[in-house]
mmCIF file of all heavy atoms in Angstrom:
data_model
loop_
_atom_site.group_PDB
_atom_site.id
_atom_site.type_symbol
_atom_site.label_atom_id
_atom_site.label_comp_id
_atom_site.label_asym_id
_atom_site.label_seq_id
_atom_site.Cartn_x
_atom_site.Cartn_y
_atom_site.Cartn_z
ATOM 1 N N PRO A 60 5.021 -119.464 24.465
ATOM 2 C CA PRO A 60 4.248 -118.994 25.625
ATOM 3 C C PRO A 60 4.779 -119.561 26.941
ATOM 4 O O PRO A 60 4.972 -120.762 27.084
ATOM 5 C CB PRO A 60 2.830 -119.507 25.339
ATOM 6 C CG PRO A 60 2.776 -119.611 23.843
ATOM 7 C CD PRO A 60 4.163 -120.050 23.442
ATOM 8 N N GLY A 61 5.054 -118.656 27.878
ATOM 9 C CA GLY A 61 5.619 -119.025 29.176
ATOM 10 C C GLY A 61 7.073 -118.641 29.292
ATOM 11 O O GLY A 61 7.645 -118.674 30.384
ATOM 12 N N PHE A 62 7.678 -118.260 28.172
ATOM 13 C CA PHE A 62 9.093 -117.867 28.195
ATOM 14 C C PHE A 62 9.223 -116.400 27.805
ATOM 15 O O PHE A 62 8.258 -115.734 27.493
ATOM 16 C CB PHE A 62 9.912 -118.763 27.262
ATOM 17 C CG PHE A 62 9.910 -120.190 27.722
ATOM 18 C CD1 PHE A 62 9.145 -121.139 27.079
ATOM 19 C CD2 PHE A 62 10.625 -120.561 28.843
ATOM 20 C CE1 PHE A 62 9.108 -122.441 27.530
ATOM 21 C CE2 PHE A 62 10.599 -121.865 29.309
ATOM 22 C CZ PHE A 62 9.840 -122.811 28.641
ATOM 23 N N GLY A 63 10.442 -115.892 27.861
ATOM 24 C CA GLY A 63 10.670 -114.494 27.549
ATOM 25 C C GLY A 63 10.866 -113.661 28.799
ATOM 26 O O GLY A 63 10.602 -112.476 28.819
ATOM 27 N N ASN A 64 11.298 -114.315 29.856
ATOM 28 C CA ASN A 64 11.567 -113.609 31.097
ATOM 29 C C ASN A 64 12.863 -112.810 30.989
ATOM 30 O O ASN A 64 13.544 -112.859 29.981
ATOM 31 C CB ASN A 64 11.652 -114.615 32.245
ATOM 32 C CG ASN A 64 10.361 -115.386 32.394
ATOM 33 O OD1 ASN A 64 9.311 -114.809 32.616
ATOM 34 N ND2 ASN A 64 10.441 -116.696 32.246
ATOM 35 N N ASP A 65 13.211 -112.105 32.038
ATOM 36 C CA ASP A 65 14.432 -111.301 32.027
ATOM 37 C C ASP A 65 15.658 -112.110 32.440
ATOM 38 O O ASP A 65 16.662 -111.552 32.840
ATOM 39 C CB ASP A 65 14.278 -110.099 32.962
ATOM 40 C CG ASP A 65 13.414 -109.021 32.341
ATOM 41 O OD1 ASP A 65 13.306 -108.985 31.106
ATOM 42 O OD2 ASP A 65 12.857 -108.214 33.097
ATOM 43 N N TYR A 66 15.568 -113.418 32.373
ATOM 44 C CA TYR A 66 16.726 -114.237 32.686
ATOM 45 C C TYR A 66 16.954 -115.247 31.566
ATOM 46 O O TYR A 66 16.123 -115.435 30.697
ATOM 47 C CB TYR A 66 16.580 -114.910 34.046
ATOM 48 C CG TYR A 66 15.312 -115.717 34.231
ATOM 49 C CD1 TYR A 66 15.250 -117.053 33.847
ATOM 50 C CD2 TYR A 66 14.191 -115.146 34.813
ATOM 51 C CE1 TYR A 66 14.100 -117.785 34.013
ATOM 52 C CE2 TYR A 66 13.025 -115.891 34.993
ATOM 53 C CZ TYR A 66 12.994 -117.200 34.591
ATOM 54 O OH TYR A 66 11.859 -117.930 34.757
ATOM 55 N N HIS A 67 18.088 -115.895 31.627
ATOM 56 C CA HIS A 67 18.514 -116.823 30.588
ATOM 57 C C HIS A 67 17.628 -118.068 30.568
ATOM 58 O O HIS A 67 17.345 -118.647 31.608
ATOM 59 C CB HIS A 67 19.972 -117.205 30.866
ATOM 60 C CG HIS A 67 20.560 -118.076 29.820
ATOM 61 N ND1 HIS A 67 21.011 -117.586 28.631
ATOM 62 C CD2 HIS A 67 20.750 -119.399 29.792
ATOM 63 C CE1 HIS A 67 21.473 -118.589 27.902
ATOM 64 N NE2 HIS A 67 21.321 -119.695 28.585
ATOM 65 N N GLU A 68 17.223 -118.488 29.362
ATOM 66 C CA GLU A 68 16.430 -119.698 29.173
ATOM 67 C C GLU A 68 17.008 -120.492 28.004
ATOM 68 O O GLU A 68 17.006 -120.024 26.886
ATOM 69 C CB GLU A 68 14.977 -119.332 28.851
ATOM 70 C CG GLU A 68 14.309 -118.528 29.927
ATOM 71 C CD GLU A 68 13.024 -117.864 29.459
ATOM 72 O OE1 GLU A 68 12.899 -117.562 28.242
ATOM 73 O OE2 GLU A 68 12.163 -117.637 30.302
ATOM 74 N N GLY A 69 17.503 -121.660 28.294
ATOM 75 C CA GLY A 69 17.989 -122.552 27.249
ATOM 76 C C GLY A 69 19.471 -122.844 27.381
ATOM 77 O O GLY A 69 20.164 -122.125 28.085
ATOM 78 N N PRO A 70 19.886 -123.919 26.787
ATOM 79 C CA PRO A 70 19.198 -124.889 25.948
ATOM 80 C C PRO A 70 18.135 -125.682 26.705
ATOM 81 O O PRO A 70 18.060 -125.657 27.917
ATOM 82 C CB PRO A 70 20.306 -125.804 25.452
ATOM 83 C CG PRO A 70 21.578 -125.075 25.680
ATOM 84 C CD PRO A 70 21.322 -124.168 26.825
ATOM 85 N N VAL A 71 17.361 -126.424 25.893
ATOM 86 C CA VAL A 71 16.212 -127.154 26.403
ATOM 87 C C VAL A 71 16.199 -128.566 25.833
ATOM 88 O O VAL A 71 16.714 -128.800 24.739
ATOM 89 C CB VAL A 71 14.910 -126.388 26.047
ATOM 90 C CG1 VAL A 71 14.775 -126.216 24.563
ATOM 91 C CG2 VAL A 71 13.693 -127.044 26.620
ATOM 92 N N ALA A 72 15.642 -129.501 26.592
ATOM 93 C CA ALA A 72 15.420 -130.871 26.119
ATOM 94 C C ALA A 72 13.949 -131.192 26.363
ATOM 95 O O ALA A 72 13.369 -130.749 27.356
ATOM 96 C CB ALA A 72 16.311 -131.850 26.878
ATOM 97 N N TYR A 73 13.345 -131.953 25.463
ATOM 98 C CA TYR A 73 11.923 -132.281 25.568
ATOM 99 C C TYR A 73 11.748 -133.781 25.718
ATOM 100 O O TYR A 73 12.363 -134.573 25.017
ATOM 101 C CB TYR A 73 11.192 -131.805 24.312
ATOM 102 C CG TYR A 73 9.724 -132.174 24.258
ATOM 103 C CD1 TYR A 73 8.836 -131.657 25.188
ATOM 104 C CD2 TYR A 73 9.236 -133.016 23.265
ATOM 105 C CE1 TYR A 73 7.476 -131.977 25.135
ATOM 106 C CE2 TYR A 73 7.888 -133.332 23.201
ATOM 107 C CZ TYR A 73 7.012 -132.810 24.144
ATOM 108 O OH TYR A 73 5.682 -133.128 24.078
ATOM 109 N N CYS A 74 10.877 -134.169 26.637
ATOM 110 C CA CYS A 74 10.514 -135.575 26.803
ATOM 111 C C CYS A 74 9.057 -135.745 26.403
ATOM 112 O O CYS A 74 8.152 -135.300 27.119
ATOM 113 C CB CYS A 74 10.724 -136.027 28.244
ATOM 114 S SG CYS A 74 10.318 -137.781 28.462
#
Side-chain angles (χ1 to χ4, degrees):
F62 296 105
N64 300 301
D65 284 337
Y66 54 87
H67 184 79
E68 300 165 332
V71 59
Y73 176 64
C74 181

